[in-house]
């Protein structure tokens, strides 16, 4: 085996080990938010324990140990070596260090889909957006210098010089002429593209504390990761609400905290307005995620919410997900109201998120239908 092939084989084994460790620890990553703070544009840094490639280790002979030296049946083997992690006196040696491994968001989504057994999404809508792209498709004898194909030009010149007897093996200088020039040619192709909108809504009233918003932030990262693997184009929009609703950017969405009351219908009205004005039903796959602690101002406002969902939001959405984050101050009533009205609706999914450990199961409930 050549050195290059050995390196490639070791790299494949390393990737398999990394992939396995991420899968086994996925619930921990989802609950602790270790990955979300290390996100780049297309890459995330995944913290892992030290990774050792499995190999046999052979000890020196006659060093003692089980199966070596003199002994009689029934002799005690002794206490053996102290296992790692046991308490002991302070030492002066360095500890075991972890590593950070770069993983693409695409690969992370693939691991997530396998571990959570998420079905691939079938986009809805009868219309598909098309993106026009230039694709290099061949070679021609005319074109701009910026598209000159040097290898094909050299090959054409070499063939000409050999055919004409001009080529000298002892002085192998190749001089292309105008007739030898070769250029890349291209054509425009229309590629079908399914686009999606993720519209996040969150209650930021006084009863939603920093821990509740952190749970929403972690969960939205994993939702984004999966949906972006299923669609070519994704837009994310953010609405916050207490007694009134407004659209904000992502950073404001997770950092804002108000102290007013809660009128959930204000968020649903704004969401419906955005959909009606900017997103045609037959062109966009719409995903609505609402997070709250379950408090609402009044029974009348809850009734308005149910009507807005039934008549406005659900006809336009692939999926409506309501996540109720447990709070010491929230009543938890709203999830009961949604279940009462939409428990059998195929595009409505609800989830109770008691703490960070509930994020894993919540995501599986939200995305497990493949809508």
């Amino acid at each position: 085996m050549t050195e290059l092939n050995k390196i490639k084989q070791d790299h494949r084994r390393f990737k398999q080990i990394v992939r396995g460790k991420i899968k086994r620890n996925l619930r921990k990553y989802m609950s602790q938010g270790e990955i979300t703070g290390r996100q780049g544009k297309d890459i995330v840094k995944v913290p892992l324990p030290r990774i050792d490639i499995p190999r046999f280790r052979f000890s020196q002979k006659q060093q003692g140990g089980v199966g070596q030296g003199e002994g009689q049946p029934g002799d005690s083997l002794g206490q053996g070596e102290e296992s790692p992690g046991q308490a002991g006196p302070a030492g002066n040696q360095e500890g075991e260090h972890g590593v950070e491994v770069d993983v693409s968001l695409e690969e992370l989504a693939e691991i997530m889909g396998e571990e959570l057994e998420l079905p691939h999404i079938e986009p809805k809508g009868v219309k598909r957006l098309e993106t026009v792209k230039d694709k290099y498709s061949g070679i021609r004898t005319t074109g701009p210098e910026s598209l000159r194909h040097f290898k094909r030009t050299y090959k054409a010149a070499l063939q000409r010089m050999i055919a004409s007897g001009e080529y000298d093996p002892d002085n192998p200088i190749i001089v292309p002429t105008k007739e030898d020039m070769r250029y890349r040619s291209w054509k425009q192709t229309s590629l079908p593209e399914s686009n999606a909108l993720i519209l996040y809504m969150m209650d930021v009233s006084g009863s939603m504390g920093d821990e509740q918003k952190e749970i929403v932030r972690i969960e939205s990262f994993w939702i984004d990761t999966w949906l972006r693997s299923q669609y070519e184009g994704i837009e994310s929009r953010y609405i916050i609400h207490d007694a009134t609703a407004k659209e904000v950017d992502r950073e404001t969405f997770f950092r804002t905290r108000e102290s007013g009351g809660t009128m959930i219908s204000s968020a649903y009205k704004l969401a419906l307005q955005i959909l009606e004005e900017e997103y045609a039903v037959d062109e966009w796959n719409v995903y609505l995620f609402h997070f709250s602690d379950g408090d609402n101002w009044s029974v009348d406002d809850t009734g308005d919410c149910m009507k807005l969902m039934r008549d406005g939001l659900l006809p336009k959405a692939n999926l409506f997900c309501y996540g109720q984050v447990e709070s010491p101050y929230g009543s938890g009533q709203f999830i009961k109201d949604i279940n009462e009205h939409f428990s059998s609706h195929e595009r409505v999914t609800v989830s109770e998120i008691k703490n960070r450990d509930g994020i894993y199961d919540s995501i599986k409930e939200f995305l497990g239908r493949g809508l």
Side-chain angles (χ1 to χ4, degrees):
M1 180 184 294
T2 66
E3 188 65 24
L4 180 60
N5 288 337
K6 187 175 185 301
I7 291 173
K8 288 181 178 180
Q9 185 183 54
D10 286 346
H11 185 254
R12 284 195 299 269
R13 290 171 64 196
F14 178 80
K15 289 189 69 175
Q16 290 171 355
I17 292 171
V18 169
R19 189 183 182 93
K21 284 184 175 288
I22 294 175
K23 286 185 72 172
R24 287 193 297 273
N25 293 286
L26 189 61
R27 183 182 288 272
K28 184 192 76 170
Y29 291 132
M30 286 186 170
S31 63
Q32 295 183 3
E34 288 183 280
I35 292 179
T36 59
R38 297 172 167 85
Q39 182 183 2
K41 183 181 178 183
D42 298 310
I43 296 291
V44 291
K45 292 186 178 296
V46 180
L48 294 173
R50 189 179 68 185
I51 296 176
D52 291 322
I53 300 296
R55 61 174 64 87
F56 288 108
R57 291 183 174 88
F58 301 97
S59 65
Q60 297 296 322
K61 293 183 178 180
Q62 307 304 325
Q63 296 297 309
V66 177
Q68 296 188 31
E70 297 180 0
Q72 297 297 325
D75 285 353
S76 173
L77 296 178
Q79 293 182 349
E81 297 181 1
E82 188 175 281
S83 61
Q86 289 183 340
N92 59 1
Q93 301 299 316
E94 65 176 341
E96 184 173 298
H97 298 288
V99 295
E100 285 191 345
V101 180
D102 287 345
V103 178
S104 69
L105 287 173
E106 181 180 355
E107 189 172 5
L108 190 63
E110 188 177 325
I111 294 171
M112 175 185 173
E114 291 175 2
E115 183 64 15
L116 271 65
E117 299 179 341
L118 300 179
H120 287 283
I121 291 173
E122 291 293 334
K124 76 174 182 65
V126 297
K127 187 175 180 181
R128 293 289 181 268
L129 303 182
E130 288 192 345
T131 300
V132 177
K133 292 187 177 181
D134 294 332
K135 182 178 180 181
Y136 294 113
S137 57
I139 299 294
R140 59 187 179 187
T141 56
T142 58
E145 286 300 302
S146 60
L147 293 181
R148 188 201 296 178
H149 196 297
F150 289 96
K151 186 176 181 180
R152 297 291 285 271
T153 297
Y154 174 86
K155 186 177 180 180
L158 178 61
Q159 289 175 335
R160 175 183 54 79
M161 292 181 68
I162 292 174
S164 63
E166 299 177 39
Y167 180 72
D168 181 2
D170 298 326
N171 186 29
I173 297 176
I174 308 299
V175 181
T177 64
K178 184 177 180 181
E179 290 74 20
D180 301 323
M181 297 301 175
R182 299 293 184 268
Y183 303 88
R184 291 183 177 88
S185 63
W186 74 93
K187 64 178 180 179
Q188 289 187 334
T189 58
S190 296
L191 302 177
E193 185 175 281
S194 295
N195 281 12
L197 167 70
I198 312 175
L199 184 52
Y200 293 103
M201 298 170 278
M202 181 166 65
D203 175 8
V204 293
S205 61
S207 58
M208 284 283 286
D210 291 337
E211 176 62 15
Q212 283 72 38
K213 285 202 287 290
E214 179 65 9
I215 288 173
V216 176
R217 183 183 73 85
I218 296 171
E219 183 152 342
S220 68
F221 164 80
W222 291 98
I223 291 170
D224 268 8
T225 298
W226 177 249
L227 290 179
R228 288 182 188 279
S229 73
Q230 303 293 298
Y231 291 100
E232 293 292 334
I234 287 278
E235 284 191 19
S236 297
R237 306 278 289 265
Y238 302 91
I239 293 174
I240 58 175
H241 72 89
D242 49 13
T244 59
K246 60 182 176 182
E247 184 177 4
V248 296
D249 59 28
R250 180 182 177 85
E251 184 176 355
T252 304
F253 182 79
F254 294 113
R255 295 185 181 274
T256 299
R257 183 173 184 180
E258 307 292 346
S259 58
T262 307
M263 289 187 68
I264 296 176
S265 65
S266 63
Y268 290 4
K269 288 175 183 176
L270 180 55
L272 182 58
Q273 179 184 336
I274 291 172
L275 294 180
E276 289 179 339
E277 293 179 356
E278 302 182 43
Y279 298 94
V281 176
D282 60 347
E283 295 179 3
W284 287 86
N285 297 274
V286 176
Y287 294 84
L288 304 173
F289 294 90
H290 180 215
F291 297 93
S292 167
D293 61 3
D295 256 351
N296 200 17
W297 176 252
S298 67
V299 174
D300 290 340
D301 192 70
T302 297
D304 291 342
C305 291
M306 301 302 112
K307 188 175 187 303
L308 285 164
M309 285 179 62
R310 182 181 63 251
D311 299 336
L313 297 176
L314 293 180
K316 301 179 184 300
N318 291 49
L319 190 63
F320 181 100
C321 298
Y322 174 72
Q324 189 155 289
V325 186
E326 188 169 293
S327 163
Y329 309 105
S331 67
Q333 176 60 38
F334 196 70
I335 195 170
K336 300 175 185 176
D337 296 321
I338 291 183
N339 278 329
E340 181 182 341
H341 288 82
F342 301 104
S343 61
S344 60
H345 199 293
E346 66 173 0
R347 291 202 294 268
V348 176
T349 302
V350 299
S351 173
E352 291 188 78
I353 313 166
K354 295 184 180 298
N355 49 41
R356 295 193 188 197
D357 289 336
I359 293 174
Y360 181 96
D361 294 322
S362 174
I363 292 174
K364 190 167 185 176
E365 289 174 2
F366 282 166
L367 304 177
R369 297 188 182 185
L371 297 177

